[in-house]
Amino acid sequence: MEQKKAKKIDHEEYKEIYGAALCISSFKHLILSPENAMNLQASLQATIDIPRVPSLNGLIGRCSQPFEKQLTETDVNSKQCRLSINKVDVENAVMPLLKEEENVEKGIRVKVYDANGKEFPMTFKLWAHKLHVLKEGWIGFCTDHALLAHQDFLKLWVFRNLHTEDLCFFITSRRLQEFQLIKKRRLNA
């Protein structure tokens, strides 16, 4: 008797999933009004942790889940002029948003926004064939926010500008008064 109930629940769940998939697949043939498009965009964004900054309303298209980074000495060193980004974070957050014609080795011009919506032009690049970095503008961001090694943690989102399709980053920071260096273990691949 219980098995029949379980099958019925599975069948109902299957019908619901199938109905949702059918509905979504029909969207490609549907022309939405601007109002409906904005409502759909808002409901999709509700499922992702999207930066809530009034000056960026209507700009954020496809968006990654956020990731965090503890700043290191080299990240805030004015002679280095770059923010290094962990390879795993790049693979999970940046690579899915890249266009075919964008070349990380040559560098991609990006706009980086802070919590106030201030824009900082930078370049996202694979540096020395092994390190992904934000550069050419990073030190200005660092200086504006008085960022400190080991004490400051950045939260980064990567997104496509809804109007221009440009690659953008959104960065917030938080400071720990008492801190210690957090080392990430390297996984042997």
Side-chain angles (χ1 to χ4, degrees):
M1 193 82 143
E2 287 180 35
Q3 286 182 340
K4 286 184 181 180
K5 272 188 180 179
K7 284 183 181 179
K8 186 176 182 183
I9 292 170
D10 289 340
H11 180 68
E12 289 300 316
E13 187 177 349
Y14 173 77
K15 279 176 45 179
E16 187 176 322
I17 291 168
Y18 180 76
L22 186 61
C23 181
I24 290 171
S25 69
S26 69
F27 282 164
K28 70 180 179 182
H29 302 291
L30 182 66
I31 298 174
L32 296 176
S33 69
E35 181 183 347
N36 286 342
M38 290 299 283
N39 289 338
L40 180 60
Q41 178 79 15
S43 66
L44 290 173
Q45 289 180 346
T47 61
I48 297 177
D49 180 10
I50 296 215
R52 308 278 184 237
V53 178
S55 62
L56 298 181
N57 282 349
L59 286 182
I60 299 175
R62 293 184 301 144
C63 185
S64 72
Q65 288 291 346
F67 59 93
E68 281 201 336
K69 176 186 177 28
Q70 182 181 24
L71 290 177
T72 64
E73 294 289 342
T74 58
D75 291 326
V76 298
N77 183 332
S78 62
K79 293 178 183 171
Q80 302 250 330
C81 300
R82 53 112 177 118
L83 170 69
S84 63
I85 302 174
N86 181 301
K87 182 180 178 179
V88 172
D89 293 326
V90 169
E91 288 171 359
N92 292 332
V94 182
M95 294 309 204
L97 295 176
L98 291 183
K99 296 178 182 176
E100 262 186 56
E101 66 271 12
E102 291 175 323
N103 186 329
V104 178
E105 290 187 11
K106 289 182 180 178
I108 302 167
R109 297 294 301 158
V110 299
K111 292 179 182 168
V112 177
Y113 296 92
D114 69 8
N116 298 317
K118 184 175 178 182
E119 185 180 305
F120 296 82
M122 296 187 203
T123 301
F124 177 70
K125 184 173 182 151
L126 181 62
W127 203 25
H129 301 290
K130 63 181 177 180
L131 186 64
H132 290 91
V133 297
L134 278 173
K135 53 185 284 172
E136 298 166 11
W138 169 248
I139 289 302
F141 187 96
C142 243
T143 304
D144 271 22
H145 298 89
L147 297 175
L148 299 172
H150 311 301
Q151 282 183 267
D152 286 321
F153 286 77
L154 302 182
K155 190 172 187 177
L156 298 93
W157 288 259
V158 185
F159 67 94
R160 284 281 175 189
N161 181 304
L162 200 53
H163 305 292
T164 64
E165 276 294 303
D166 291 338
L167 189 65
C168 303
F169 285 74
F170 176 75
I171 301 176
T172 61
S173 65
R174 64 183 171 88
R175 178 163 293 162
L176 298 180
Q177 296 308 315
E178 293 184 30
F179 66 92
Q180 72 182 68
L181 179 61
I182 296 174
K183 289 191 176 189
K184 287 189 177 181
R185 288 188 200 156
R186 287 201 159 170
L187 299 175
N188 294 332

